[in-house]
Amino acid sequence: MWKQIFSKLPRKSTKSDADSARTPNSGTNTSSPGSGRANAASPAVKRAAVFPASAIAGIEPLLAFKDVPSSEKLNLFISKLSLCCVVFDFTDPVKNTQEKELKRATLLELLDFVSQNPPKFSEPAILAACKMCSINLFRDFPPNYQSSNTNLGENDNDSEPTFDPAWSHLQIVYDFLLKFVTSHSLEAKVAKKYINHSFILRTIDLFHSEDPRERDCLKAILHRIYGKFMVHRPFVRKSISHVFYRFVFETEKHNGIAELLEIFGSVITGFALPLKEEHKIFLWRALIPLHKPKSLGVYFQQLSYCVTQFIEKEPKLAGGVIKGLLKYWPITNSQKEVMFLGELEEILEAINMAEFQKVMVPLFWRIGQCINSYHFQVAERALFLWNNDQVVNLIAHNRHVILPIILPALESNAENHWNQAVLNLTLNVKKMFSEMDDALVLACISSYNEELEKLNLAVKKRKEAWELLEESAASRQPIAGNTAVLVTS
């Protein structure tokens, strides 16, 4: 196809057409709204053009839009889209350089056209635009590509992503798709036939991309699709939920969880009250289990935002969320414990008294364990909860239940903890409790000392019992030779 085009035009005029198409749109290219993660290892496959010559009404695709009458602009639009359906191999930088530059110039022309209030898109134009985007964007990543980010942890965020060498074209196609979807000339009633479930699923699959620029582009596009095509909203939510389920319960490998959560964060703000049952199910079955994977640190900020948005919408969900966090509490991962404590503080700021009283016993038992942690950051973060006035108010109203749970942990810290900052914070919290209810503090300390004495006595008795057993064993003669031993049942 490209050879036919080049054979029709002189070499010089082809170059000038490409240059004239590139120059006015260079600013548009640099101001792209977003981008995503591409795969450098995936070779592009050259495909034939999708549309036959009859579909483009004989319009020469290298003509500029300004050189044709308004009645022919959509035909030229379709013709240029057909020209851009050929995918080149970018692994060889010297191969098809002239054709690549011409395609890039044509893509910039298309981007400029959809950005400048074009006429209402006809159904063939919508079909052509969707096919051009599908051919250029939808591609499969090799297995080793997706596994390169396996179990990405908090300390692995600095690994260098790989970039697709075709990004100079992909970026323009993404910008085109974003402008096309948001254009007032695109009618959702017509476009929903082509921006359909299959198109949305392939778009969500691209969030596997390792390139953050591509994921940013995809995030913007999927969010606009969700906003414009109301009929597809349940399907988008369901598809994203399935991505989360596979990530948590099967693979723990996905590069785009943070971006998908960011989309859902804005979606949750638009939920009507009272919340539908399907939205609550998403919270319990998807968002709460997302606290489990080792790579939580990569998407924790977006996840925490989604959870707090649910609680702000319906505060009575706070108790169930806290129970879920306690279920997935990271006992052997100190960095995740610090994150959990931070999220707990945000939840406690929004919780009501009735919900708090349902979960305060297991919650403060876990906080007491964190206070006694030998990892000073965990102990510090747990003690910082008392710097929050809302948390202190909840504790003060329920001190008769909470203080007997927390005070033993404080006493143990004051006697044994190695970190001076933790010791100082412990003493400050004890002082705060004394000012709150000194009589209760004294009673709890007395009870703690009694329990400590009982524990020490039990340890002493156990030690004496072992010493008696050792002495008894030492006084007996060992059995030697072939002496038979009678064993009774």
Side-chain angles (χ1 to χ4, degrees):
M1 178 179 178
W2 288 95
K3 289 181 180 178
Q4 294 173 358
I5 291 171
F6 279 115
S7 67
K8 292 179 183 178
L9 295 171
R11 195 176 193 85
K12 185 175 180 181
S13 65
T14 302
K15 185 175 185 301
S16 63
D17 283 341
D19 291 339
S20 64
R22 247 191 336 268
T23 304
N25 296 288
S26 57
T28 307
N29 185 36
T30 56
S31 62
S32 82
S35 43
R37 209 175 253 195
N39 167 28
S42 167
V45 181
K46 181 180 284 191
R47 302 179 181 89
V50 174
F51 304 99
S54 59
I56 57 177
I59 298 293
E60 173 56 55
L62 294 183
L63 290 175
F65 281 103
K66 61 183 177 61
D67 294 334
V68 297
S70 299
S71 60
E72 295 294 331
K73 286 188 185 296
L74 281 183
N75 286 334
L76 180 60
F77 178 68
I78 295 172
S79 181
K80 288 182 180 292
L81 287 168
S82 176
L83 187 68
C84 294
C85 286
V86 179
V87 180
F88 295 104
D89 181 5
F90 280 82
T91 57
D92 185 355
V94 298
K95 187 178 179 182
N96 303 119
T97 54
Q98 194 175 9
E99 290 89 340
K100 291 173 184 175
E101 281 301 309
L102 181 57
K103 179 182 175 181
R104 185 173 185 275
T106 307
L107 286 170
L108 289 169
E109 278 192 282
L110 291 168
L111 175 60
D112 187 57
F113 178 73
V114 297
S115 303
Q116 295 180 355
N117 194 23
K120 188 174 89 169
F121 293 118
S122 63
E123 193 164 337
I126 297 171
L127 170 63
C130 291
K131 285 201 171 184
M132 188 277 288
C133 293
S134 300
I135 288 171
N136 282 277
L137 298 178
F138 297 156
R139 59 208 190 280
D140 294 324
F141 303 115
N144 61 340
Y145 172 78
Q146 293 179 15
S147 63
S148 63
N149 258 1
T150 305
N151 294 333
L152 188 66
E154 300 84 7
N155 300 322
D156 300 326
N157 297 333
D158 297 331
S159 58
E160 288 294 327
T162 55
F163 300 106
D164 196 318
W167 182 247
S168 59
H169 285 193
L170 290 175
Q171 181 182 19
I172 307 171
V173 178
Y174 275 120
D175 293 346
F176 169 85
L177 180 56
L178 180 62
K179 292 290 186 182
F180 182 71
V181 169
T182 56
S183 174
H184 295 296
S185 302
L186 181 69
E187 289 188 352
K189 290 182 180 179
V190 181
K192 70 181 181 181
K193 293 173 18 183
Y194 306 105
I195 301 179
N196 52 19
H197 288 185
S198 176
F199 188 93
I200 292 169
L201 273 179
R202 296 297 303 273
T203 302
I204 292 174
D205 285 343
L206 289 175
F207 278 91
H208 272 296
S209 174
E210 191 176 313
D211 188 338
R213 300 171 304 176
E214 187 169 9
R215 295 201 307 272
D216 281 343
C217 280
L218 289 163
K219 178 179 67 178
I221 290 166
L222 187 59
H223 191 266
R224 298 308 189 281
I225 290 175
Y226 185 89
K228 186 157 190 167
F229 298 91
M230 295 185 66
V231 68
H232 292 327
R233 288 182 181 181
F235 180 78
V236 172
R237 293 195 300 266
K238 182 179 179 181
S239 300
I240 294 177
S241 299
H242 289 167
V243 172
F244 293 156
Y245 297 151
R246 286 195 297 270
F247 172 69
V248 173
F249 300 110
E250 295 180 14
T251 65
E252 289 199 14
K253 304 172 190 174
H254 201 289
N255 295 311
I257 298 298
E259 286 78 12
L260 291 171
L261 283 170
E262 198 167 333
I263 294 171
F264 239 105
S266 60
V267 168
I268 293 168
T269 59
F271 285 166
L273 293 177
L275 290 175
K276 294 180 180 178
E277 191 62 28
E278 68 162 289
H279 302 327
K280 296 178 184 179
I281 290 173
F282 173 76
L283 172 64
W284 306 132
R285 295 185 182 177
L287 293 186
I288 299 301
L290 274 171
H291 290 82
K292 177 184 176 182
K294 295 177 182 178
S295 57
L296 173 66
V298 177
Y299 55 84
F300 174 74
Q301 184 177 355
Q302 293 84 355
L303 176 60
S304 179
Y305 177 77
C306 289
V307 171
T308 52
Q309 284 295 110
F310 265 106
I311 294 172
E312 287 179 11
K313 285 278 184 182
E314 203 163 304
K316 67 180 183 179
L317 296 173
V321 170
I322 290 176
K323 289 179 181 177
L325 292 180
L326 294 175
K327 176 182 177 181
Y328 291 105
W329 197 270
I331 298 172
T332 60
N333 189 324
S334 300
Q335 294 302 317
K336 283 181 69 175
E337 275 195 284
V338 172
M339 288 187 276
F340 271 54
L341 288 166
E343 186 172 359
L344 269 180
E345 183 172 359
E346 291 184 12
I347 295 170
L348 290 175
E349 287 179 350
I351 199 171
N352 57 45
M353 190 63 71
E355 289 298 316
F356 176 75
Q357 289 173 345
K358 293 177 184 177
V359 296
M360 61 184 178
V361 173
L363 171 62
F364 277 88
W365 182 87
R366 174 54 62 191
I367 291 174
Q369 298 293 310
C370 292
I371 289 173
N372 286 148
S373 173
Y374 283 110
H375 194 292
F376 77 97
Q377 290 179 332
V378 176
E380 263 188 342
R381 190 63 189 83
L383 291 165
F384 280 153
L385 290 172
W386 275 262
N387 291 341
N388 189 303
D389 292 338
Q390 172 65 10
V391 175
V392 171
N393 182 55
L394 291 169
I395 293 171
H397 280 82
N398 300 277
R399 59 186 180 274
H400 290 90
V401 176
I402 295 172
L403 196 51
I405 300 172
I406 289 295
L407 200 66
L410 297 175
E411 287 294 311
S412 177
N413 259 20
E415 295 171 5
N416 304 316
H417 207 283
W418 62 272
N419 185 271
Q420 189 60 46
V422 173
L423 286 174
N424 293 338
L425 287 169
T426 300
L427 295 175
N428 289 338
V429 172
K430 282 186 64 179
K431 181 180 178 183
M432 190 181 297
F433 277 131
S434 296
E435 293 172 354
M436 191 183 297
D437 194 333
D438 189 48
L440 180 59
V441 169
L442 292 175
C444 289
I445 291 175
S446 175
S447 177
Y448 168 74
N449 290 332
E450 290 176 4
E451 289 295 325
L452 196 61
E453 287 179 6
K454 290 180 182 178
L455 183 61
N456 291 336
L457 183 60
V459 170
K460 184 179 178 182
K461 287 182 177 179
R462 192 182 305 116
K463 186 178 179 181
E464 290 174 352
W466 274 109
E467 288 175 353
L468 287 174
L469 286 172
E470 289 171 355
E471 290 175 3
S472 176
S475 65
R476 291 180 179 271
Q477 293 295 327
I479 298 174
N482 296 322
T483 307
V485 179
L486 178 63
V487 179
T488 58
S489 56

